[in-house]
Amino acid sequence: MAVVIETRSLRKQYHLGDVTVEALRGVDFAAAQGEFVAIMGPSGSGKSTLLHLLGGLDSASGGDVLLDGRSYTQMSDDELTITRRRQIGFIFQFFNLLPTLTAAENVALPLTIDGQHPNPSHIMSLLEQVGLADRKDHKPHQLSGGQQQRVAIARALVARPKIVLADEPTGNLDSQSGQAVLDLLRRASREQGQTMVMVTHDHRAAASADRVVFLKDGQTVNMVSLDDTGGKTRTQTVAAVMTEVGL
Amino acid sequence: MSSIYGLAWRYLFANRVRSLLSVAAVMLGVAVTISGSMIAGSVREGILRSDELRVLLEGMIAMLDPAMLFIGMVVMLAAGFLIFNTFGMTITRRRQQIGGLRALGLTRGQTMRVILAEALLLGVVGVALGVIFSVVLGQVLIAFIKPFAERMVAFGDAAPELPVVIFAAVMGLLITLLSVLLPARRAARAAPLDALREPAAAQIEPARRGQTVLGTLLMAGLLAYVILMPPGEWVTYPLDAPLTALVILLWLAGVLLLLPGVIGLAARLGRWLLPGATGRLMTDNLRRARGRVLLTVLTLAFALLVIIALNGFMEFFLNHSVGATLKAAEQRDALFVSRLDIASGWGEVIGRGLESVMLADDELHALVEVVEGSANYTLNYFVVVPELSFFGSGYFSYMIDPVLLRGVGDAMFTFSEGDWDTALPVMEAGCGVLVSPAVAARNNVGLGDTLTVTGRSGPLDCTIAGLGTSVAGATIISDTQHDQLTDMNPSLVLILPRLDTDPAELAARIQALSADFPEIRLTWVSDFAVALDDSGEIINVAFNAMLVLASFAAAFGVVNTMLMSVDERRREIGLLRAVGATRAQMRRIIIGEAVFMGVVGGVVGLAAGLGAVLIIVLTYGLNSIGLKADLLPIALASAQAALATGFAGLIAAPVVAALAAWLPARSILRETPIETLALT
Ligand SMILES: Nc1ncnc2c1ncn2[C@@H]1O[C@H](COP(=O)(O)OP(=O)(O)OP(=O)(O)O)[C@@H](O)[C@H]1O
Ligand SMILES: [Mg+2]
């Protein structure tokens, strides 16, 4: 399958006074069209950092990210922004919604920013898929943390982006709604051919993916494909690798 | 951190820009107050050097001090506004932090003290810098005004006076502390539980309808009242000033009540004008964060209002009130002869003394010989009688022979009470005076009453022979008690050509006298009126220079709120960037919001300012100086005169606001979305 997004020896350093934190030390990562990739790793291993760089939200200290073969470092800020708007959906770990907009307006945001007039039925169907059709006119402060997260997922899908990047999208959810979210992402990758990259700490969530990438100290340490697990369940396979890499 | 006050210091340091702006505002307030009094002091000094002539101008100078003080206070208030705003906002954001400290055992009293310590520190630094800065500012302002004003006044040494410095310093500190009192109380009330709560995202709340209705009714009612039944038609000294102040205060209260509704309405209008995401996000921001938006708009609107009101008032005062007293004479081709050269102004005479403008005996003889038969004339002695001073206690009065006075009649005095037939016998019988109603009211006397005034060799009983308006407002005293009032010659001869005389031809004959008497000058009253207008211009320039400084304080306030407004919304801005808003779009949202506030502030300030001019003129009226005139056309003309300034302000307000927003927008948009999103 065609590679949609890839990184080439991607590095990210944070400078805190004299101290330099190496958040990513040369990561090579690739995801194909329609592929669902989970990223796992201990806290502070660079998962969120990698996701931010994949989304073009931050500048790398070295290396490059290519989306459909186009290098981020070659793009102007406006080109990169338009790319984010039209090709990338992002679900943050925290704070996802604008407080003054309703759920439906938050979902439609990438389209309205793009100057489009979103089709209300499109927005409603997305809200239905995340189980919030009856909350469309609610403001974020009238929604629970999990509900807010689900609105963010609907927003990430609204522009039918090539790639959706999700930072612990199920972290705040009970297992039932968590499962619903995973099914949704799963379906989007199968049916719309969208690429999903999801950071998670939960091996059951990771089991929904086609492939799991393990990060440690800013480097990829392992990678398992869940297409063929040789008799074991996907969950068991992920758990086994997790033990292997010391998670 | 050695004590809880370390918290105060740390917080101020962590918010350097905000602290600096607050300090700068206090500094400006103190500096303007002190330097304003320095200007007045310098002018006074320049005049004191010139013996008796100062009496002619002292009245004007007496007005300079309170005017400068007023502007200083306006700047101080603007500073207080800014500090209140800053602390109010930061404390909303610090509730969490303060709640945490409260949970750890910080008492309410300690919380209060920490915040008051912050304010005190800002106040002390601001006051200290203000005192230092005032010396420079005072000199710069004087250097700036001097070229315009030298025609009219002389300048002496300028030095800050200790009582004024102390006053300004105390006011600076007091206003700083008062401004944080409310925010500090709010902070102290933060419950330990607040530490656990996310700060509530500011929600859009509609303006209170009742308040809007009340404000509209109040403002419309006031305007209707002053236009339909101008209080200025009946009110007179000493009620005129307090009544005007009362009506203006009510007007300002109306503006305050109405403003939230206006902002809400304008936001809705903006939403309609700017469909699409940017317009929506922009107007949403205006409709929440009410306090911040309200304060910004209010700051801009009030700055503009004060400027317009002052300009309109100056127009009224110089051209329709006191200045208008010259009109009667002007209409009849009046001219006067004196040693005063209008082209070089009064400034030239200052330093030479009143004797230098006194006309010599031979000059007077020659002059009377020329005009006798072709014109009516008066010989005007300038005397100073504190009780009869038109304003202050040092303004001059005319001493004139009653029979000559009757000859020029309306050109010198217009009655509002009494008439020539009753006045003349009184004036011929002894010391009879023609005064403005304000002077009569101040001395608590009416037509026919006796007033004891200060003469050169003791008290002198004078009778009120009439009430009304004279040229330049000055009281007219009959010259029957000549020696009691002066030992000098007349300084001015007013000449009113008879109807069968050609004024130009008479003027030529008078002009011919200068061959023998080079010192005398012939001036058409109409030219003098123009010169007086010019002097009015100078006062206007001085006032406006000070007002520009006041506007700086307002601009600081706007910069400050914009900084906070952007800072408050870091995460939202980051999020918008993340989901695909370009830098240009974000700039449009942030700056557009500011421009919007500027436009609303400008429009409200312009409308409220013009309304204030109408109210001032229609309420204050002309009774106190004894003029009778239809007030509404004068009010409209005064408002019209302030219109140019008003429109300049209308354009300046959005520009100032846009610049204020441009700074924080630029710095935040340089970051990557993740840097912006990060909680700092
Ligand atoms: N803005 C920043 N400034 C300095 N260091 C940072 C910053 N953001 C992240 N780091 C550091 O970079 C490293 C990787 O952080 P990252 O957020 O990517 O971890 P993570 O794998 O997402 O962890 P978690 O599972 O806890 O979310 C950490 O050591 C972190 O301390
Ligand atoms: Mg993370």
Side-chain angles (χ1 to χ4, degrees):
Chain A
M1 264 191 294
V3 167
V4 169
I5 193 160
E6 62 181 309
T7 70
R8 295 194 179 148
S9 30
L10 194 62
R11 313 181 67 85
K12 179 69 183 176
Q13 300 173 334
Y14 293 106
H15 301 280
L16 297 169
D18 302 339
V19 189
T20 301
V21 180
E22 295 267 1
L24 294 178
R25 317 165 183 251
V27 172
D28 290 298
F29 169 91
Q33 192 197 344
E35 195 184 9
F36 190 158
V37 184
I39 297 177
M40 298 190 79
S43 178
S45 57
K47 304 182 295 294
S48 296
T49 305
L50 175 60
L51 216 58
H52 296 156
L53 290 178
L54 287 175
L57 294 171
D58 209 352
S59 53
S61 313
D64 203 353
V65 181
L66 288 91
L67 181 71
D68 265 346
R70 291 181 68 213
S71 150
Y72 282 7
T73 50
Q74 305 293 312
M75 287 191 214
S76 71
D77 184 76
D78 278 0
E79 287 172 321
L80 192 57
T81 305
I82 304 285
T83 304
R84 278 202 302 273
R85 185 195 285 176
R86 297 186 182 156
Q87 321 249 25
I88 302 171
F90 212 107
I91 302 155
F92 290 99
Q93 210 169 342
F94 315 102
F95 192 77
N96 268 296
L97 307 180
L98 286 188
T100 53
L101 303 184
T102 64
E105 288 168 334
N106 263 295
V107 170
L109 195 58
L111 299 181
T112 42
I113 287 176
D114 201 32
Q116 304 179 31
H117 293 281
N119 180 351
S121 64
H122 175 46
I123 308 297
M124 271 317 287
S125 84
L126 281 165
L127 279 170
E128 264 160 34
Q129 287 178 51
V130 294
L132 291 171
D134 54 339
R135 294 279 193 280
K136 71 178 174 64
D137 292 326
H138 286 220
K139 296 281 175 68
H141 72 110
Q142 295 162 324
L143 299 171
S144 75
Q147 288 170 330
Q148 291 182 21
Q149 195 76 353
R150 282 186 274 159
V151 174
I153 292 165
R155 184 187 59 208
L157 297 173
V158 75
R160 300 199 174 88
K162 281 217 167 69
I163 172 165
V164 175
L165 304 166
D167 201 344
E168 299 188 37
T170 56
N172 287 329
L173 306 182
D174 61 86
S175 60
Q176 201 184 340
S177 35
Q179 194 53 51
V181 164
L182 290 170
D183 290 345
L184 188 70
L185 295 177
R186 177 82 260 175
R187 203 154 12 102
S189 76
R190 289 257 166 79
E191 292 169 10
Q192 316 277 339
Q194 286 169 310
T195 304
M196 299 286 157
V197 182
M198 172 182 77
V199 169
T200 184
H201 283 287
D202 178 4
H203 62 282
R204 274 162 306 184
S208 302
D210 298 322
R211 187 155 60 95
V212 186
V213 173
F214 289 91
L215 277 189
K216 198 170 183 181
D217 294 331
Q219 283 171 312
T220 37
V221 289
N222 208 330
M223 207 186 305
V224 264
S225 169
L226 300 176
D227 284 345
D228 176 18
T229 51
K232 284 189 281 184
T233 66
R234 287 160 158 260
T235 315
Q236 282 169 334
T237 312
V238 175
V241 186
M242 281 174 74
T243 333
E244 201 179 300
V245 300
L247 262 177
Chain B
M1 195 172 65
S2 52
S3 73
I4 57 163
Y5 296 110
L7 281 178
W9 170 242
R10 277 196 194 191
Y11 198 82
L12 289 178
F13 190 73
N15 293 279
R16 281 181 292 277
V17 180
R18 227 166 284 165
S19 308
L20 278 178
L21 279 172
S22 304
V23 166
V26 177
M27 177 182 102
L28 212 56
V30 170
V32 169
T33 308
I34 298 176
S35 59
S37 107
M38 273 168 74
I39 295 175
S42 161
V43 171
R44 208 180 309 119
E45 198 39 36
I47 284 160
L48 283 177
R49 277 203 229 132
S50 68
D51 303 331
E52 293 93 337
L53 208 103
R54 85 186 128 98
V55 301
L56 295 184
L57 292 170
E58 214 169 45
M60 298 269 193
I61 303 313
M63 291 193 358
L64 208 56
D65 254 333
M68 292 295 175
L69 189 69
F70 169 75
I71 291 175
M73 287 300 104
V74 169
V75 180
M76 281 286 203
L77 277 183
F81 222 44
L82 183 141
I83 291 163
F84 171 76
N85 198 353
T86 311
F87 274 78
M89 302 277 150
T90 53
I91 277 160
T92 310
R93 289 190 47 200
R94 285 163 74 190
R95 264 184 102 83
Q96 245 185 321
Q97 180 208 341
I98 291 167
L101 291 169
R102 297 265 293 119
L104 293 177
L106 196 74
T107 67
R108 286 211 167 138
Q110 280 175 314
T111 313
M112 277 289 264
R113 260 175 279 147
V114 168
I115 292 176
L116 288 179
E118 282 174 26
L120 197 65
L121 198 60
L122 291 183
V124 167
V125 175
V127 164
L129 290 176
V131 171
I132 296 168
F133 180 52
S134 68
V135 180
V136 182
L137 186 67
Q139 302 293 356
V140 168
L141 282 177
I142 290 172
F144 171 70
I145 300 171
K146 221 172 174 171
F148 299 94
E150 222 154 22
R151 276 184 49 188
M152 196 176 141
V153 290
F155 287 89
D157 297 332
E161 290 161 29
L162 192 62
V164 178
V165 172
I166 291 172
F167 172 77
V170 170
M171 284 306 284
L173 283 181
L174 215 63
I175 284 183
T176 314
L177 286 177
L178 280 178
S179 318
V180 300
L181 218 54
L182 271 179
R185 267 178 48 124
R186 205 148 54 85
R189 262 190 264 129
L193 257 181
D194 283 329
L196 305 174
R197 271 186 224 129
E198 270 280 310
Q203 286 306 311
I204 294 172
E205 39 175 309
R208 270 174 240 136
R209 190 169 295 266
Q211 188 186 321
T212 309
V213 171
L214 191 66
T216 314
L217 286 179
L218 184 58
M219 290 180 77
L222 282 174
L223 261 191
Y225 167 60
V226 297
I227 289 175
L228 296 177
M229 297 178 279
E233 280 179 357
W234 52 264
V235 78
T236 187
Y237 186 90
L239 272 179
D240 48 4
L243 184 72
T244 310
L246 177 72
V247 180
I248 280 290
L249 275 179
L250 285 174
W251 178 253
L252 294 183
V255 174
L256 212 58
L257 285 172
L258 190 58
L259 202 52
V262 172
I263 294 171
L265 192 74
R268 231 175 297 160
L269 190 72
R271 176 92 193 84
W272 179 72
L273 285 173
L274 302 165
T278 34
R280 168 63 193 275
L281 292 167
M282 206 182 96
T283 46
D284 274 357
N285 282 330
L286 293 165
R287 287 165 60 206
R288 62 175 167 166
R290 284 209 165 275
R292 178 173 56 73
V293 174
L294 191 69
L295 275 174
T296 309
V297 174
L298 204 62
T299 310
L300 290 166
F302 266 47
L304 190 53
L305 185 149
V306 170
I307 291 173
I308 292 177
L310 218 63
N311 272 288
F313 177 73
M314 290 306 273
E315 165 72 14
F316 169 63
F317 184 77
L318 293 169
N319 290 338
H320 301 283
S321 169
V322 175
T325 55
L326 287 170
K327 291 258 156 64
E330 188 185 335
Q331 275 159 12
R332 294 173 55 179
D333 287 321
L335 33 88
F336 64 81
V337 173
S338 69
R339 291 191 172 193
L340 206 62
D341 182 7
I342 296 306
S344 59
W346 298 357
E348 182 225 8
V349 189
I350 296 171
R352 290 205 270 135
L354 193 52
E355 286 92 344
S356 69
V357 291
M358 189 171 94
L359 293 164
D361 288 336
D362 49 354
E363 289 170 334
L364 286 166
H365 279 302
L367 204 55
V368 169
E369 214 162 278
V370 170
V371 299
E372 195 82 69
S374 334
N376 293 335
Y377 64 92
T378 55
L379 304 174
N380 295 17
Y381 297 83
F382 285 14
V383 298
V384 175
V385 181
E387 292 82 0
L388 300 176
S389 169
F390 178 47
F391 43 63
S393 63
Y395 196 74
F396 68 92
S397 303
Y398 303 109
M399 187 174 72
I400 302 176
D401 177 285
V403 178
L404 289 181
L405 180 66
R406 179 66 189 96
V408 300
D410 286 353
M412 201 62 217
F413 190 82
T414 320
F415 283 93
S416 60
E417 265 183 68
D419 53 39
W420 289 114
D421 295 338
T422 52
L424 274 184
V426 176
M427 293 183 84
E428 279 167 8
C431 173
V433 293
L434 300 174
V435 296
S436 69
V439 171
R442 194 179 63 216
N443 289 298
N444 217 0
V445 288
L447 190 63
D449 291 348
T450 301
L451 175 64
T452 308
V453 303
T454 317
R456 284 206 307 145
S457 50
L460 179 65
D461 284 338
C462 295
T463 310
I464 309 295
L467 274 71
T469 320
S470 77
V471 175
T475 299
I476 298 175
I477 312 171
S478 60
D479 75 343
T480 44
Q481 310 285 322
H482 188 292
D483 297 344
Q484 286 275 353
L485 294 166
T486 184
D487 59 356
M488 284 196 254
N489 276 355
S491 299
L492 184 144
V493 181
L494 180 78
I495 300 162
L496 194 63
R498 292 195 179 146
L499 289 175
D500 53 3
T501 308
D502 175 13
E505 183 263 336
L506 178 62
R509 274 194 284 144
I510 298 171
Q511 202 73 66
L513 286 177
S514 57
D516 295 329
F517 307 105
E519 298 253 33
I520 63 169
R521 301 263 193 298
L522 172 76
T523 309
W524 291 97
V525 170
S526 50
D527 288 345
F528 182 68
V530 171
L532 206 71
D533 267 358
D534 288 351
S535 333
E537 263 327 289
I538 293 156
I539 299 178
N540 256 336
V541 168
F543 268 127
N544 280 316
M546 302 294 275
L547 285 172
V548 164
L549 285 177
S551 315
F552 274 141
F556 282 168
V558 177
V559 171
N560 184 47
T561 36
M562 288 302 158
L563 278 178
M564 279 189 283
S565 149
V566 169
D567 201 41
E568 254 171 25
R569 286 182 291 148
R570 282 192 78 81
R571 295 208 295 184
E572 295 178 31
I573 293 168
L575 185 67
L576 277 163
R577 291 276 290 134
V579 299
T582 61
R583 291 200 166 122
Q585 281 181 310
M586 289 315 300
R587 229 186 337 258
R588 234 174 295 151
I589 293 176
I590 298 170
I591 295 180
E593 183 189 335
V595 168
F596 181 92
M597 287 194 262
V599 169
V600 177
V603 170
V604 170
L606 181 64
L610 292 177
V613 175
L614 294 185
I615 287 177
I616 290 173
V617 175
L618 292 172
T619 310
Y620 194 83
L622 294 164
N623 286 337
S624 307
I625 59 162
L627 276 181
K628 282 260 171 281
D630 205 355
L631 288 176
L632 192 57
I634 294 177
L636 291 174
S638 303
Q640 197 186 358
L643 211 56
T645 323
F647 277 117
L650 186 62
I651 292 168
V655 172
V656 166
L659 281 178
W662 180 74
L663 284 172
R666 200 177 66 132
S667 75
I668 205 165
L669 291 179
R670 254 198 242 138
E671 302 172 350
T672 67
I674 282 299
E675 285 165 352
T676 310
L677 263 170
L679 283 170
T680 42

